[in-house]
Amino acid sequence: MSIQGLGTQYGRAGRPLRVTVNHIELKKYSEAGIFQYDVDIQPENGQFKKLPEAQFMRSVFDQCMRIHRSSRLGGVHLVYDARKIAVAPKRVCGSTETLRLEVAYTENGRASKFVVQIREAAVIDTSVLTRFIHGDSSTDIADIQPALNALDLAFGSVAHQDMVGFGRSFFTRAQSLPIAGGLELWRGFSLSVRPGIERLFLNVNTAVTVFYTPGQLLETLSSALNVRKAEDLRGKTGRDDIREMGAYLRGLVLFLRHRGIPGKRKFTVKGITSTALDRESFEWEDPANPGHAETITVAEYYRRRYNISLKYPFLPGLVGRRNAIFPIELCEVAENQHYRGSLNDRQTAEMVRFACQGPSDNRNRISDALRQLNFAGSPVISSFGLSLASDMAQVESRVLPAPTVTYGRGSRQPSLSPANGAWNMRDKCVSSPGVPLEHWAVLVLARRSELPDSRVQSFITTLVNTCNQTGYQIKSTRPPIMYGNLSGDISREMRRACDAIRLPPGKAPQLLLVVLQSTNSHVYQTVKNCAYTRLGIQTQCMQSKHMQRPNPQYYANLCLKINTKLGGTNQSLTPSHLQKLLRSKPTLFLGCDVTHPGPGEVNKPSIASVVGSTDFMGLRYSATLIQLPSRQELVGKLQEAIVRHLKLFYKHTKAKPHHILFYRDGVSETQFAQVRDRELIEIQRACSSIEADYKPQITFLAVLKRHNTRFFPMPRDADRSGNCVPGTVIDRSITMPSLFDFYLFSHAAIQGTSRPTHYFVLHNDPKFTADEIQMLTYHLCFTYAICTRSVSLVPPVYYAHRVADRARCHLVDMGVGFEEATSTSSGYYGGPGTTTSRATEDPNRATKIIKTHELLDESMYFM
């Protein structure tokens, strides 16, 4: 079902400005059609059991084109996706013919012959692009995707000549930065063709990604395991260390070099042995003594077979194809290998510093990339009938006015209109205080010598005073302070701290302030898991360094978080203003997000988080977590979740919502119609399940944050960082034809180049105008509970993100790592004991609601 029909809508409110966008207009493109071909590349004798990596496939194809383009292909340029598809501006063979081309290709000194077979698969209609950008309601996003993909391949083929590409992103090592862990950061850019209103654009944006450091594996592994020299790896051979090595090495392509094998031999790491090479044994038949098998270790095998005495026989071995085992010290990391694992805190900080660049630097890098690519001089681009404008496009924008933010009684300044999206808590009281804090304790998971009682109590005294001054009352000023064993049972330590609280009959502990020595994610998740699922107590975690060096702003931030968790609200919009925006209809604000497992985590579930407001002002929220099968995008059990939030809204307001405003994150543009149609029905069914004739109006918005569109204001219109000021909205030129969408800067950038949020109105029962929905969305961004800044995402979605992030704490025991498993299959050495990668199946992959402790279930525990 199409998502066309709401029509493009333009707002008028705000101060008009012109901004530059990182889109270059396509001045010309062919409507004659593009020919798509199926490509099959195989060895001359035999077949690939598994498709080789993209880099290899592209190299073979490019060599084939160099040999045969002029003779067999009539000079036509084919561009290839390095898997199974190629496109060309003209036909290269008959529509039912299979073109068979032979090519010799040499890699690392080893020559091989291949057969490339090309067969026409489809003729892509490019005229559909013209109809779409001119607002033809019979065309949809899905209809133009084949044509966009073909144009992306054409532009990408130019970048592939000198860069390493993944999808629509391309990188070079020329400006790389080595970081901890045997990795390095590469700069690059992304390219994609985007439809605009009556025009097509090429979107070009800067990008940064992570690669493995090429070279000796021993050095790379030493860096990854944080040891100075290879000999120090002797202390890194425990079970957990082996698992860490395996997770880092699995899937890595290596070269093997030792006497007896000509040139470089390449293999992919399948796993790692669970024992050292001087203990890993197998049965071997010495070629010099045929018919006599003996048990021999891998280390001894290399000494006798290749006259190589291993320097580090205490290390495990690497498992390759057919369970062959190779010593780490004889391997090299191949070049241009993309790292897809997760980064630790230190690596993440280094990546943020490397990637962070202001708008002017970002704009200059994009211009440099365009000059480097020189599309105007490319015969490939010319053959596809494409030409680009000489510079980035300029588009109209508007700056919406900021709302009035109100605070509680006792504030010296009870209302203000924030300048540049930021303000502070000085001389202000929270809008409504939560339940006074009487029954709480402090658990210090750090050494007493580093944080003595006096330091902790001094911090607590100042925190109590700060909270009381801002209108949130803490009655118990000297809570029990307990010191816990960080390496012990953290759940037991938390129970011990709770038991130290003196509770009247029928009362439960309200809060546990947990002081952590570091940012160790496992400890944090364990604390939250115990609180969410067993103890049912609000927790506020903090790092010990903040207790040692506190500042007033930190105390104020803690106060905002504690007040929110205990049922209070910190700031709000003016009620009359919000009701005007909502047309005086009781409104349930809903936010929904779906998060998926990381790369390689194939057996972890996806998680959907749904949050719903429980008051008329959209300030208080409750959360529902839903476990989904891995990588499922549609939210199962959404109806059940919506019913819950409708009932909670009625419980707290004594009114039924007349309007539901649903913000949905985690959806790509090609999935809009499917997700909207399915989930809109789920919302409607939830309403009718409560009362048959209950049909509130519904507004459904998709929210996209992960996109590559960036805007650059004129210097006179920029904020101090050079970015667009908060309130900047763009709904013309580069938005989708026939759709109701807009880009919104609702925040002030702290560093780097701001990324706006892209909102799509997919369903609009109240028939909100562009001005109304844009203003409402922007002004809601000033109500995020624990921040004295307007935020980049509308709060219902921001809260849904936080809930999904906390889901890892609910599922802290569901990790899928690099598991050891003994394989009995015979490899080159015929021995048991090799480790393979075998993921642990999750026994609970069915869609289900994940329960939070009943004492926290209706609270904003996720803040």
Side-chain angles (χ1 to χ4, degrees):
M1 190 172 172
S2 172
I3 63 166
Q4 308 283 62
L6 292 183
T8 302
Q9 295 197 29
Y10 300 136
R12 296 184 176 182
R15 176 168 53 95
L17 297 174
R18 288 188 69 78
V19 294
T20 300
V21 62
N22 61 343
H23 286 47
I24 299 91
E25 183 182 351
L26 268 71
K27 288 292 188 182
K28 186 177 72 171
Y29 61 92
S30 172
E31 295 188 39
I34 293 174
F35 296 88
Q36 180 175 314
Y37 295 91
D38 288 336
V39 176
D40 183 45
I41 300 177
Q42 298 292 348
E44 183 182 40
N45 299 310
Q47 285 189 328
F48 292 120
K49 290 184 178 179
K50 181 183 177 183
L51 208 61
E53 66 267 20
Q55 219 172 310
F56 175 83
M57 298 292 282
R58 189 181 305 282
S59 298
V60 174
F61 185 85
D62 288 348
Q63 176 71 359
C64 181
M65 294 300 102
R66 282 191 287 270
I67 294 172
H68 297 292
R69 178 177 292 118
S70 58
S71 58
R72 301 286 303 276
L73 301 174
V76 176
H77 289 274
L78 274 85
V79 293
Y80 175 50
D81 73 348
R83 307 322 287 158
K84 292 285 188 179
I85 295 173
V87 296
K90 297 179 181 178
R91 186 168 266 132
V92 298
C93 60
S95 59
T96 60
E97 177 188 356
T98 298
L99 193 62
R100 189 178 189 274
L101 307 173
E102 296 181 357
V103 60
Y105 177 69
T106 301
E107 183 187 43
N108 302 313
R110 298 164 69 108
S112 303
K113 290 185 177 181
F114 299 90
V115 174
V116 179
Q117 295 191 89
I118 300 172
R119 183 181 180 87
E120 187 175 306
V123 180
I124 299 171
D125 178 14
T126 49
S127 67
V128 70
L129 292 170
T130 302
R131 297 197 300 273
F132 183 83
I133 63 177
H134 286 90
D136 182 349
S137 60
S138 67
T139 60
D140 201 10
I141 295 174
D143 299 326
I144 65 171
Q145 207 59 48
L148 293 179
N149 291 341
L151 295 181
D152 286 346
L153 274 179
F155 282 110
S157 69
V158 179
H160 270 299
Q161 294 172 10
D162 300 307
M163 306 183 80
V164 180
F166 304 99
R168 293 175 174 84
S169 297
F170 307 88
F171 301 92
T172 175
R173 200 183 179 198
Q175 298 178 347
S176 62
L177 174 72
I179 63 171
L183 304 172
E184 51 191 33
L185 301 173
W186 288 24
R187 293 194 189 277
F189 49 83
S190 64
L191 299 172
S192 64
V193 177
R194 297 278 303 169
I197 296 173
E198 299 185 353
R199 291 181 289 178
L200 285 177
F201 295 93
L202 178 67
N203 173 220
V204 185
N205 193 33
T206 56
V208 170
T209 195
V210 188
F211 281 77
Y212 287 94
T213 301
Q216 293 296 325
L217 176 60
L218 207 56
E219 296 177 9
T220 301
L221 195 59
S222 298
S223 176
L225 297 177
N226 199 29
V227 298
R228 290 188 176 182
K229 54 185 186 297
E231 183 62 35
D232 295 338
L233 290 170
R234 187 181 295 275
K236 292 280 188 178
T237 55
R239 181 182 177 87
D240 290 342
D241 298 309
I242 296 293
R243 182 181 287 109
E244 185 179 352
M245 279 190 207
Y248 178 80
L249 295 170
R250 184 174 51 188
L252 190 60
V253 177
L254 301 174
F255 287 123
L256 180 69
R257 274 187 161 179
H258 61 77
R259 196 171 68 183
I261 297 180
K264 287 184 179 181
R265 179 177 178 176
K266 183 189 288 186
F267 74 98
T268 301
V269 179
K270 283 172 51 182
I272 190 168
T273 61
S274 55
T275 55
L277 293 180
D278 57 6
R279 289 186 288 122
E280 185 77 29
S281 60
F282 63 100
E283 286 192 356
W284 178 57
E285 185 177 303
D286 189 340
N289 189 12
H292 174 70
E294 59 180 305
T295 300
I296 187 174
T297 66
V298 175
E300 179 68 10
Y301 168 81
Y302 271 86
R303 188 186 67 78
R304 290 171 56 179
R305 182 75 175 86
Y306 299 110
N307 196 29
I308 296 174
S309 295
L310 299 179
K311 295 180 181 179
Y312 309 100
F314 55 84
L315 291 175
L318 304 176
V319 182
R321 194 166 66 95
R322 291 191 239 170
N323 283 349
I325 302 175
F326 305 106
I328 290 173
E329 64 190 79
L330 299 182
C331 296
E332 295 178 7
V333 180
E335 293 183 333
N336 303 335
Q337 291 196 74
H338 197 200
Y339 177 74
R340 293 180 174 85
S342 57
L343 300 179
N344 60 33
D345 291 343
R346 178 183 171 189
Q347 292 167 331
T348 300
E350 290 185 274
M351 186 169 185
V352 169
R353 284 194 295 270
F354 185 73
C356 181
Q357 49 192 357
S360 60
D361 290 338
N362 205 5
R363 182 173 177 171
N364 290 338
R365 286 188 185 277
I366 292 171
S367 297
D368 290 344
L370 289 169
R371 281 192 292 271
Q372 174 189 342
L373 291 167
N374 186 24
F375 288 122
S378 167
V380 174
I381 298 303
S382 175
S383 72
F384 276 85
L386 302 170
S387 80
L388 292 168
S390 58
D391 206 352
M392 287 180 266
Q394 288 194 356
V395 297
E396 295 178 27
S397 70
R398 293 169 290 113
V399 180
L400 303 177
T404 297
V405 176
T406 65
Y407 279 89
R409 295 178 182 176
S411 301
R412 183 174 297 178
Q413 187 184 13
S415 64
L416 70 152
S417 184
N420 298 317
W423 63 100
N424 58 57
M425 281 293 294
R426 192 176 299 119
D427 299 325
K428 297 178 184 66
C429 293
V430 296
S431 291
S432 62
V435 178
L437 186 55
E438 295 183 72
H439 313 302
W440 65 303
V442 181
L443 175 60
V444 182
L445 295 176
R447 288 187 287 270
R448 192 187 294 261
S449 58
E450 294 179 1
L451 277 180
D453 296 64
S454 57
R455 175 67 264 173
V456 177
Q457 185 55 57
S458 173
F459 181 90
I460 296 303
T461 300
T462 307
L463 176 63
V464 169
N465 291 338
T466 302
C467 288
N468 289 333
Q469 289 166 8
T470 54
Y472 176 65
Q473 187 178 11
I474 299 182
K475 292 184 176 180
S476 174
T477 60
R478 298 186 68 86
I481 299 172
M482 308 294 290
Y483 286 82
N485 181 4
L486 189 59
S487 58
D489 185 339
I490 292 175
S491 297
R492 186 179 61 209
E493 301 290 0
M494 292 174 66
R495 290 183 184 276
R496 191 168 63 87
C498 289
D499 290 342
I501 303 171
R502 294 180 180 178
L503 293 172
K507 294 289 185 180
Q510 294 173 282
L511 177 74
L512 190 60
L513 179 65
V514 183
V515 184
L516 303 175
Q517 196 166 17
S518 68
T519 57
N520 184 298
S521 61
H522 178 72
V523 174
Y524 177 84
Q525 290 176 5
T526 302
V527 168
K528 294 296 184 180
N529 176 268
C530 180
Y532 295 165
T533 62
R534 289 175 243 171
L535 296 180
I537 185 174
Q538 299 287 357
T539 50
Q540 181 58 57
C541 293
M542 61 173 291
Q543 292 181 51
S544 58
K545 67 180 183 181
H546 294 302
M547 192 166 276
Q548 292 167 331
R549 299 183 300 277
N551 63 67
Q553 185 61 48
Y554 187 77
Y555 287 116
N557 290 343
L558 278 184
C559 174
L560 296 180
K561 291 183 178 183
I562 293 171
N563 184 49
T564 301
K565 289 175 180 176
L566 272 295
T569 59
N570 296 322
Q571 78 267 10
S572 70
L573 301 178
T574 305
S576 58
H577 172 66
L578 181 61
Q579 289 308 306
K580 180 181 178 182
L581 291 175
L582 295 172
R583 301 178 180 173
S584 301
K585 294 176 181 175
T587 298
L588 170 63
F589 297 95
L590 291 169
C592 179
D593 184 29
V594 177
T595 57
H596 302 292
E601 296 178 331
V602 293
N603 290 294
K604 281 188 176 180
S606 292
I607 297 293
S609 52
V610 182
V611 300
S613 58
T614 57
D615 67 332
F616 291 121
M617 297 295 295
L619 302 175
R620 299 289 311 163
Y621 285 80
S622 59
T624 304
L625 273 172
I626 306 170
Q627 177 179 297
L628 303 174
S630 186
R631 308 196 185 281
Q632 177 175 305
E633 193 58 60
L634 294 172
V635 180
K637 292 195 176 289
L638 180 62
Q639 178 180 337
E640 187 176 335
I642 299 298
V643 167
R644 176 174 181 264
H645 289 293
L646 286 167
K647 290 180 177 180
L648 286 173
F649 184 89
Y650 184 82
K651 175 182 176 180
H652 291 278
T653 66
K654 306 305 179 195
K656 289 188 295 185
H658 293 184
H659 174 222
I660 295 174
L661 182 53
F662 188 77
Y663 288 96
R664 175 65 155 90
D665 197 4
V667 186
S668 65
E669 290 170 349
T670 55
Q671 297 171 315
F672 281 169
Q674 180 189 20
V675 171
R676 189 276 314 269
D677 294 342
R678 165 75 178 273
E679 295 180 3
L680 188 62
I681 290 173
E682 293 289 296
I683 297 171
Q684 291 167 339
R685 285 176 177 169
C687 296
S688 60
S689 72
I690 294 175
E691 288 181 8
D693 59 350
Y694 177 44
K695 297 180 180 179
Q697 292 183 324
I698 300 170
T699 305
F700 192 119
L701 286 88
V703 181
L704 269 68
K705 189 68 175 173
R706 294 179 181 176
H707 59 79
N708 288 309
T709 299
R710 302 292 183 270
F711 296 92
F712 309 105
M714 305 301 172
R716 66 178 180 275
D717 300 322
D719 66 8
R720 287 182 295 180
S721 67
N723 282 290
C724 293
V725 297
T728 301
V729 64
I730 300 96
D731 60 7
R732 288 166 167 78
S733 301
I734 50 95
T735 50
M736 283 284 190
S738 298
L739 298 186
F740 185 175
D741 67 313
F742 58 93
Y743 292 90
L744 175 64
F745 289 91
S746 53
H747 69 298
I750 297 175
Q751 59 180 358
T753 303
S754 282
R755 174 167 48 185
T757 302
H758 197 178
Y759 295 92
F760 290 80
V761 183
L762 303 183
H763 188 80
N764 187 12
D765 280 339
K767 295 185 171 23
F768 280 125
T769 65
D771 281 335
E772 286 176 315
I773 198 68
Q774 291 167 8
M775 196 78 76
L776 174 60
T777 300
Y778 175 45
H779 287 186
L780 285 175
C781 293
F782 286 77
T783 64
Y784 186 65
I786 57 172
C787 203
T788 54
R789 306 178 66 91
S790 56
V791 290
S792 61
L793 272 174
V794 68
V797 170
Y798 211 139
Y799 295 145
H801 276 312
R802 289 187 71 97
V803 173
D805 185 58
R806 297 297 187 271
R808 291 180 298 179
C809 305
H810 287 266
L811 308 175
V812 71
D813 298 322
M814 291 180 60
V816 179
F818 187 85
E819 299 293 330
E820 284 90 36
T822 300
S823 169
T824 57
S825 61
S826 295
Y828 290 150
Y829 310 114
T834 60
T835 301
T836 58
S837 167
R838 187 166 68 192
T840 304
E841 289 288 343
D842 172 21
N844 300 308
R845 293 184 67 196
T847 301
K848 65 178 183 180
I849 302 286
I850 301 172
K851 299 294 185 182
T852 303
H853 196 286
E854 60 182 8
L855 293 177
L856 302 179
D857 199 32
E858 296 180 18
S859 72
M860 296 180 73
Y861 67 88
F862 46 86
M863 301 305 290

